[in-house]
Amino acid sequence: MLPDDLCWPITHMGEGLSCLVQACKWSAPREDTISDEIDLHSEALLDDWIERCAQEHLLEAEPVRFYYGETETVLRSAAPALLRVPNAPGSPTGNFLVLLRSHRYWIDLIAPDRSVRRLSHANVHDLLWRESTSTETTKLQSLLAESGIFRTHRRMQRILLSELLGTSVQGRGWLLRLPPGSPVRQRIQAGHVPRMAAVLLGSYGAQFFLTLL
């Protein structure tokens, strides 16, 4: 599956939210559709709609805003979340990504065909900003070529793009979280406690074995 196939149309945000909730095993599957009366360009209306849908799933939706230079920090801790792909100026309503789990080096995303795909943080970063930074990327490449630097490290390109963009383009999304009064079992699963416990036990077992040797 190509990275482009991981982007959901903004009009299917309700379906993406339901798929995410089901994959997290937080609620039974259901279909939420965005009303034609909602202005997708209105952040306030879209925030209210997402919040209502999350409440119907007995969840909390926390809006998040971030700039290009803050993307790496967001990707490390956002999931499960819906992240809207920033649009290029004058483009249609745009797309969004469904983040299921964040790992150290990669992220699990839910595709529109409901399959789970794994991408590196770098690839998700580029996919998230590719459309809105195409003009700046072209300018940067031309500047590097004029300076005699035809290729540079991917991370260095992001640093330079961050300086070029500043606060001119903003990403946005919604973090899905269990409310404080949710069952303990769900909160343990959401916090990945079993996986962390397995890692700790494995580390302790390895240390004990080495001590015996």
Side-chain angles (χ1 to χ4, degrees):
M1 174 175 289
L2 298 174
D4 289 339
D5 297 327
L6 293 171
C7 293
W8 293 65
I10 197 69
T11 52
H12 288 67
M13 183 169 283
E15 181 183 353
L17 187 149
S18 295
C19 289
L20 181 56
V21 170
Q22 183 181 2
C24 292
K25 299 180 180 180
W26 285 345
S27 178
R30 49 176 291 167
E31 295 295 334
D32 296 308
T33 57
I34 292 183
S35 171
D36 294 335
E37 300 176 355
I38 294 180
D39 182 4
L40 298 177
H41 297 281
S42 172
E43 293 188 9
L45 291 177
L46 199 53
D47 284 342
D48 290 341
W49 185 85
I50 289 291
E51 185 177 358
R52 290 199 306 270
C53 289
Q55 289 176 351
E56 291 177 0
H57 287 287
L58 303 179
L59 299 172
E60 293 181 349
E62 178 186 348
V64 60
R65 306 288 185 270
F66 56 96
Y67 298 111
Y68 184 91
E70 301 169 332
T71 307
E72 291 185 14
T73 302
V74 172
L75 291 180
R76 282 196 297 267
S77 59
L82 305 175
L83 294 185
R84 189 165 182 176
V85 178
N87 300 349
S91 66
T93 52
N95 303 312
F96 69 99
L97 298 175
V98 179
L99 278 63
L100 176 59
R101 284 181 294 267
S102 294
H103 305 274
R104 184 175 181 181
Y105 299 110
W106 58 82
I107 296 176
D108 292 334
L109 300 99
I110 301 178
D113 64 1
R114 307 201 176 201
S115 63
V116 177
R117 292 301 197 185
R118 179 166 290 181
L119 287 183
S120 67
H121 282 237
N123 287 335
V124 176
H125 185 294
D126 294 342
L127 180 61
L128 187 64
W129 292 98
R130 184 183 58 185
E131 183 177 355
S132 59
T133 61
S134 57
T135 302
E136 286 75 11
T137 301
T138 302
K139 292 179 181 179
L140 178 60
Q141 291 175 348
S142 299
L143 179 62
L144 293 174
E146 292 174 0
S147 304
I149 306 174
F150 296 98
R151 297 186 65 182
T152 185
H153 194 273
R154 196 175 186 180
R155 184 173 180 82
M156 181 59 66
Q157 288 187 1
R158 292 201 198 97
I159 294 175
L160 295 174
L161 271 177
S162 180
E163 294 296 327
L164 286 175
L165 292 171
T167 59
S168 60
V169 183
Q170 188 179 53
R172 54 192 301 254
W174 300 266
L175 313 182
L176 295 182
R177 301 293 184 260
L178 290 168
S182 58
V184 175
R185 181 179 179 182
Q186 285 187 324
R187 296 182 64 81
I188 290 176
Q189 290 178 342
H192 306 294
V193 174
R195 185 179 63 187
M196 294 172 62
V199 172
L200 289 174
L201 289 175
S203 300
Y204 177 77
Q207 182 182 8
F208 181 73
F209 179 72
L210 292 174
T211 302
L212 290 178
L213 290 179

